[in-house]
Amino acid sequence: MSLSNLPPLVLLKQTSLSSDNVTRNGNTKIVHVVVKNSPFTLTFGTHPDDTSHAELDLHKYTLDIKLLYDQDPTKEVDFVKEKPLQYKTSVNQNNTKLTLEVRIKVLTSHMEDSLFRVGVQINDQHKNPVTVIYSEAIRVISKSDQVKKKAPSGKKKKNPNDLLAEALEMIEGKQREQQELLELRAGDHWDS
């Protein structure tokens, strides 16, 4: 197999503390939540239904792995001294799956609400890019207890207008009750 004939690789598995479906700009995507400095894994390989490439020797390639912002076009996360991620690579016995154990390291507080992706550029032996594959979106938290608990599935979040209307109805109801009490008191006063 020539190096330029690398079959299409896909993300087969991504581990995380939890994951959520998030809608942004009308698009729904999976966002994985990981804890800073804690390992998670990404497994890439040929599509399980693709039987045309029985042998794929991933040892023939070099990798360039970067932490990217989850945006289009992709942009690498800037760093001064320490790269924002560490990783260990392993290839399965058949040379068909690449697994990365990744730790996201140094992130500043202004990146707190940002979403990221891990980008894996696969290069041939001459360091020429052959393909790039990406993880799904990632949100990084500093402690595992920061994972937001999901609301019970039967309850939907109300929009602000509905909440305001309910509050106004409650206030109007209280005003009516107080008005009735005042009228009763005024009637008692005149009757005595």
Side-chain angles (χ1 to χ4, degrees):
M1 170 186 289
S2 80
L3 291 177
S4 60
N5 292 335
L6 181 70
L9 297 176
V10 294
L11 176 65
L12 299 173
K13 183 179 179 184
Q14 181 167 341
T15 63
S16 58
L17 183 63
S18 69
S19 62
D20 292 314
N21 287 328
V22 174
T23 302
R24 284 194 175 175
N25 302 325
N27 297 322
T28 301
K29 62 181 162 185
I30 297 172
V31 175
H32 294 267
V33 178
V34 301
V35 179
K36 180 176 155 182
N37 292 323
S38 294
F40 61 97
T41 60
L42 303 171
T43 303
F44 300 97
T46 56
H47 195 280
D49 298 335
D50 185 0
T51 56
S52 63
H53 304 283
E55 182 65 24
L56 165 66
D57 189 357
L58 290 169
H59 290 292
K60 295 179 182 176
Y61 301 92
T62 61
L63 304 175
D64 187 13
I65 301 172
K66 296 179 178 173
L67 184 64
L68 309 167
Y69 290 103
D70 181 36
Q71 63 185 32
D72 191 24
T74 58
K75 179 182 180 291
E76 185 176 0
V77 173
D78 296 322
F79 62 93
V80 178
K81 290 182 183 178
E82 189 177 352
K83 288 187 177 186
L85 61 80
Q86 288 182 333
Y87 61 91
K88 294 178 188 174
T89 61
S90 62
V91 177
N92 70 343
Q93 219 169 7
N94 322 1
N95 297 318
T96 57
K97 291 182 184 175
L98 167 69
T99 299
L100 303 174
E101 181 184 279
V102 182
R103 291 175 190 259
I104 297 180
K105 304 295 282 177
V106 180
L107 291 176
T108 60
S109 58
H110 76 274
M111 297 177 183
E112 204 165 89
D113 294 325
S114 297
L115 296 180
F116 304 95
R117 287 185 185 271
V118 174
V120 180
Q121 180 174 298
I122 299 178
N123 304 308
D124 66 17
Q125 59 199 31
H126 304 291
K127 304 253 186 222
N128 297 317
V130 177
T131 190
V132 179
I133 45 183
Y134 300 97
S135 70
E136 292 178 326
I138 299 167
R139 182 169 58 93
V140 181
I141 58 175
S142 58
K143 296 179 182 167
S144 60
D145 59 355
Q146 290 178 323
V147 174
K148 292 180 182 173
K149 293 187 170 102
K150 292 183 180 179
S153 57
K155 294 183 179 180
K156 290 185 178 179
K157 259 190 166 177
K158 295 180 182 178
N159 73 37
N161 290 338
D162 291 343
L163 291 172
L164 186 59
E166 284 180 12
L168 285 173
E169 284 179 29
M170 186 179 74
I171 291 169
E172 288 171 350
K174 292 284 186 192
Q175 282 180 328
R176 278 192 298 275
E177 287 175 18
Q178 289 176 351
Q179 185 64 36
E180 289 171 5
L181 285 173
L182 285 173
E183 289 172 0
L184 279 174
R185 286 286 201 171
D188 288 347
H189 178 52
W190 291 110
D191 291 339
S192 30

